[in-house]
Amino acid sequence: MCGITGYIGEQQATPVLLEGLKKLEYRGYDSAGIALQTGQGVVVCKEKGRIADLTKMVDLNVQSTAGIGHTRWATHGVPDRKNSHPHQSQSGRFTLVHNGVIENYLQLQRDYLQEVEMISDTDTEVIVQLIEKLSSEEVSTEAAFRKALTLLHGSYAIAMLDEQDPDTLYIAKNRSPLLVGVGADCRVVASDAMAMLQVTDQFIELHDEEMVLLRKDEVKIFTLGGERMERALYTAQLDQSDLEKGTYPHYMLKEMDEQPTVIRKIVDAYSNESGKLSIDSKVLQAFKGADRLYIIAAGTSYHAGLIGKQYFEKFAGIPVEVHISSEFGYNMPLLSKKPLFLFITQSGETADSRQVLVKVKALGYPTVTLTNVQGSTLSRESDHTLLLHAGPEIAVASTKAYVAQVAVLAICAYACGESDLELKKELSIAANAIQTVLDSKEDVRKVVEETLTDTRNAFFIGRNLDFYVSLEGALKLKEISYIQAEGFAGGELKHGTIALIEEGTPVFALATQRDVSPNIRGNVKEVTARGAKTSIFSIEGIQEEGDRFVLPHVHELLTPLVAVIPFQLISYYAALQRECDVDQPRNLAKSVTVE
Ligand code: M6R
């Protein structure tokens, strides 16, 4: 949440900062700003709104080869100009952008800044005012910066300008992502490598509680204790074209369309030399050595985890618990003797999941992260990483990452057990089935026109695996169309929720599980009798007359891969119908780096 860019080099900084911020907009889009060293001082331009609004305001005549930029997801203070980053110290000497949350900012304000008049409502302003205050006591900006960092409790990625030292960017990181990039004639900093691919693919990872002095030809990394650190460069494995929408109107549509290819890529990536599905032998050992698997995840990744539980239990006989990461920390269950923690996270940056990782690592338990982003925080900090191979997912609504998570979970569970299933073949059938559903977009659009045009709420119901897909369908719909939606286990309706069914209430029912198909159809009858507008999504082999949409046949355990597709499309067309911002829905951000 929140994106940071910084540039110091030979070129004009403004276009690099703005281009970088555009790439980071997925991290937050409430307000944006840049600050530029001009030689005669620092110029700040910031405003509520998107990067496109900022770009219109920026004066391209300002000459500057060093600057910082920020795109915000508000935590402290409403999204307005006053709370937008960059923030400046009272005298204007220091200018700073920040991603994270400073937990003790009110205490710091009371202890050090009573005489300073705060302009914003943010925790960030306290950092920059504190640095100014300490700069009068310390021998250098470097020392004041370091001292201030040691006083902060919480998470931060920081980039700062000192008007009196135009040749340096001051950088720091703790529990919020930040990378330094090394270009031919510049040094850069960014929350995500994709922001700076425009100038370099060579990056340096920063660790928690480190600060950096960045000059156009130099990167000096220090611990907060002052020890100098050396670190090698790595090459970012990202393709610029993966980051573009191309001819698509929205990233979400592009990413949904990529799903068959993603499944095929995963099958390739997880096939060994003899063409059999397999996973890294160390990860395999970790799974096999566990007497219970604890899956930790949030949002869509949690929904994938629920499906993963069935795979590990059915294919490998490993008992599994699935936990919402934000809850796990307060209420850790009694653990088994040999637990293994599996973190599922598209971004690899989710703070809720990371706080669990930190806790269980401290207890000495083994950890695996299933992520789309190699080198992300959770990937670096866990013992093992399994990759999703889905390519960058930019739309806030997760689609191809979910399908990738389900597919990789199936492969891992399969690799841990001895099943007769020809999973490789079944996954390839599933990829084709996904393509068939994607080719029926117009039909799904009609479902939306028939059912969601005037509604204020909607229900998704299913049983067994279909229940988990219903949870995901409901999350997708509410997230991008703002229609209040709930996913329910069909059997639970009559225990309360059926009271909400009125004349015309849309109910989408999944019927892909043979054993429970009669039961879910019974639930559909119950809600139809009470006025609901019902649509059944069934699957070849168990379809019945009147079903609204029949999915191509796939193996029963792999139905979540295919059943989710019409629900993704429903949410997409519902969002379009309501003229919502599909890729950047209100109040959200792609990477949730605050707890
Ligand atoms: O990056 P992660 O998978 O850890 O993110 C978890 C959730 O924030 C994420 O899945 C969220 O629910 C999606 N935006 C839903 O589409």
Side-chain angles (χ1 to χ4, degrees):
M1 286 184 157
C2 299
I4 288 177
T5 55
Y7 175 91
I8 185 157
E10 298 287 342
Q11 313 295 321
Q12 287 300 308
T14 307
V16 182
L17 295 174
L18 290 174
E19 184 58 31
L21 288 179
K22 262 196 251 159
K23 294 280 176 340
L24 294 181
E25 206 167 22
Y26 74 90
R27 302 181 66 85
Y29 32 83
D30 294 335
S31 59
I34 59 170
L36 302 165
Q37 284 279 14
T38 64
Q40 282 89 47
V42 170
V43 173
V44 173
C45 178
K46 60 180 188 174
E47 198 42 271
K48 179 179 174 173
R50 306 283 169 104
I51 309 301
D53 305 315
L54 177 71
T55 305
K56 284 185 209 140
M57 288 171 52
V58 166
D59 181 356
L60 290 172
N61 295 318
V62 174
Q63 300 295 303
S64 167
T65 56
I68 53 178
H70 190 268
T71 179
R72 177 173 189 243
W73 186 86
T75 56
H76 297 65
V78 297
D80 60 9
R81 184 176 190 283
K82 163 184 90 162
N83 292 324
S84 308
H85 300 218
H87 289 282
Q88 291 196 288
S89 61
Q90 205 165 32
S91 74
R93 175 176 166 188
F94 298 101
T95 306
L96 178 145
V97 291
H98 163 228
N99 167 27
V101 172
I102 303 305
E103 288 148 16
N104 62 337
Y105 79 106
L106 290 173
Q107 189 62 46
L108 290 170
Q109 207 174 327
R110 278 192 294 271
D111 291 352
Y112 294 88
L113 302 169
Q114 292 217 0
E115 75 290 2
V116 177
E117 198 189 323
M118 293 288 168
I119 293 166
S120 76
D121 306 317
T122 65
D123 50 342
T124 303
E125 189 186 349
V126 168
I127 312 174
V128 74
Q129 302 289 14
L130 182 63
I131 291 167
E132 175 151 294
K133 167 93 190 209
L134 295 172
S135 69
S136 60
E137 298 162 11
E138 300 289 336
V139 289
S140 64
T141 297
E142 179 184 337
F145 190 63
R146 177 176 292 117
K147 175 79 190 290
L149 295 173
T150 61
L151 295 172
L152 303 181
H153 295 171
S155 54
Y156 54 79
I158 291 172
M160 185 185 81
L161 302 175
D162 174 1
E163 201 174 62
Q164 295 178 15
D165 179 10
D167 298 329
T168 310
L169 297 189
Y170 292 83
I171 309 296
K173 174 198 170 342
N174 187 43
R175 286 165 40 200
S176 289
L178 202 62
L179 297 166
V180 165
V182 175
D185 59 357
C186 65
R187 299 294 178 266
V188 291
V189 61
S191 305
D192 185 327
M194 69 168 80
M196 286 300 164
L197 275 187
Q198 48 170 328
V199 287
T200 184
D201 62 357
Q202 298 299 301
F203 289 90
I204 300 174
E205 268 177 24
L206 299 181
H207 295 177
D208 285 348
E209 300 194 339
E210 283 185 344
M211 57 176 270
V212 185
L213 303 183
L214 205 63
R215 307 208 168 90
K216 67 178 179 188
D217 50 5
E218 189 177 54
V219 179
K220 280 182 164 173
I221 307 174
F222 299 94
T223 64
L224 295 193
E227 187 189 348
R228 179 85 188 262
M229 306 302 286
E230 295 298 336
R231 197 151 303 135
L233 292 169
Y234 74 91
T235 305
Q237 307 287 349
L238 278 169
D239 186 340
Q240 184 75 25
S241 65
D242 284 347
L243 310 176
E244 310 294 343
K245 278 203 295 251
T247 54
Y248 279 93
H250 301 104
Y251 280 107
M252 185 182 175
L253 188 61
K254 172 177 179 260
E255 289 161 7
M256 287 190 291
D257 272 353
E258 285 169 358
Q259 293 178 111
T261 311
V262 167
I263 301 277
R264 292 183 191 113
K265 270 197 196 157
I266 287 171
V267 167
D268 271 0
Y270 285 94
S271 289
N272 63 18
E273 281 153 11
S274 42
K276 293 223 165 65
L277 288 174
S278 72
I279 58 172
D280 178 83
S281 58
K282 289 204 182 100
V283 188
L284 188 65
Q285 264 173 22
F287 280 126
K288 285 189 163 176
D291 64 356
R292 185 170 288 260
L293 190 58
Y294 293 83
I295 293 182
I296 311 289
T300 289
S301 299
Y302 171 73
H303 298 156
L306 293 169
I307 294 161
K309 170 180 164 70
Q310 288 224 6
Y311 293 161
F312 275 99
E313 294 188 342
K314 291 209 160 85
F315 289 144
I318 304 176
V320 181
E321 289 180 26
V322 192
H323 291 271
I324 294 175
S325 50
S326 57
E327 287 294 311
F328 190 90
Y330 325 120
N331 198 3
M332 200 183 286
L334 285 176
L335 298 177
S336 63
K337 288 205 172 63
K338 288 195 283 171
L340 173 67
F341 284 82
L342 173 60
F343 295 85
I344 308 180
T345 165
Q346 186 283 132
S347 61
E349 300 294 348
T350 299
D352 288 329
S353 300
R354 189 186 178 232
Q355 54 98 9
V356 181
L357 176 66
V358 171
K359 281 195 182 110
V360 301
K361 271 180 65 168
L363 294 170
Y365 296 125
T367 52
V368 178
T369 289
L370 173 55
T371 182
N372 203 23
V373 186
Q374 191 159 29
S376 56
T377 305
L378 273 100
S379 155
R380 277 190 280 107
E381 294 181 354
S382 36
D383 300 321
H384 309 284
T385 297
L386 289 162
L387 288 176
L388 293 176
H389 300 284
E393 191 179 64
I394 313 278
V396 165
S398 184
T399 54
K400 63 176 178 173
Y402 168 85
V403 158
Q405 286 164 344
V406 172
V408 177
L409 286 166
I411 293 172
C412 289
Y414 179 78
C416 292
E418 279 163 27
S419 164
D420 298 337
L421 183 71
E422 287 185 66
L423 184 61
K424 197 167 177 177
K425 187 178 113 205
E426 297 297 344
L427 283 170
S428 126
I429 293 172
N432 294 341
I434 293 174
Q435 188 60 61
T436 308
V437 182
L438 288 168
D439 292 343
S440 316
K441 290 193 184 80
E442 274 316 300
D443 201 12
V444 180
R445 188 203 281 270
K446 279 192 205 122
V447 176
V448 170
E449 281 163 11
E450 288 159 17
T451 55
L452 292 176
T453 304
D454 297 316
T455 194
R456 58 188 171 84
N457 60 4
F459 294 91
F460 292 76
I461 59 170
R463 286 173 180 251
N464 198 349
L465 286 172
D466 286 343
F467 164 45
Y468 306 141
V469 181
S470 301
L471 294 176
E472 176 57 9
L475 175 61
K476 247 7 24 130
L477 186 66
K478 59 189 149 192
E479 182 178 24
I480 64 166
S481 76
Y482 318 141
I483 296 171
Q484 209 262 315
E486 297 304 330
F488 272 95
E492 273 293 288
L493 272 176
K494 58 187 175 297
H495 296 292
T497 312
I498 201 162
L500 293 170
I501 302 294
E502 302 175 337
E503 198 56 42
T505 305
V507 176
F508 302 107
L510 267 183
T512 73
Q513 305 293 296
R514 187 175 287 276
D515 284 357
V516 291
S517 174
N519 309 67
I520 198 73
R521 288 177 187 281
N523 297 137
V524 169
K525 287 205 176 76
E526 289 154 14
V527 291
T528 309
R530 287 160 178 84
K533 214 186 262 180
T534 51
S535 314
I536 298 183
F537 292 74
S538 64
I539 195 156
E540 268 170 22
I542 56 169
Q543 80 268 35
E544 290 186 14
E545 207 181 318
D547 289 352
R548 185 63 187 83
F549 200 100
V550 180
L551 303 163
H553 179 77
V554 293
H555 189 283
E556 197 166 55
L557 283 173
L558 298 185
T559 52
L561 293 171
V562 185
V564 77
I565 309 297
F567 287 174
Q568 294 171 347
L569 290 167
I570 283 176
S571 64
Y572 177 75
Y573 289 118
L576 282 190
Q577 193 182 57
R578 288 170 186 240
E579 298 181 4
C580 300
D581 187 333
V582 171
D583 286 337
Q584 295 177 341
R586 71 183 177 207
N587 304 340
L588 288 168
K590 181 75 180 161
S591 181
V592 186
T593 54
V594 292
E595 282 172 32

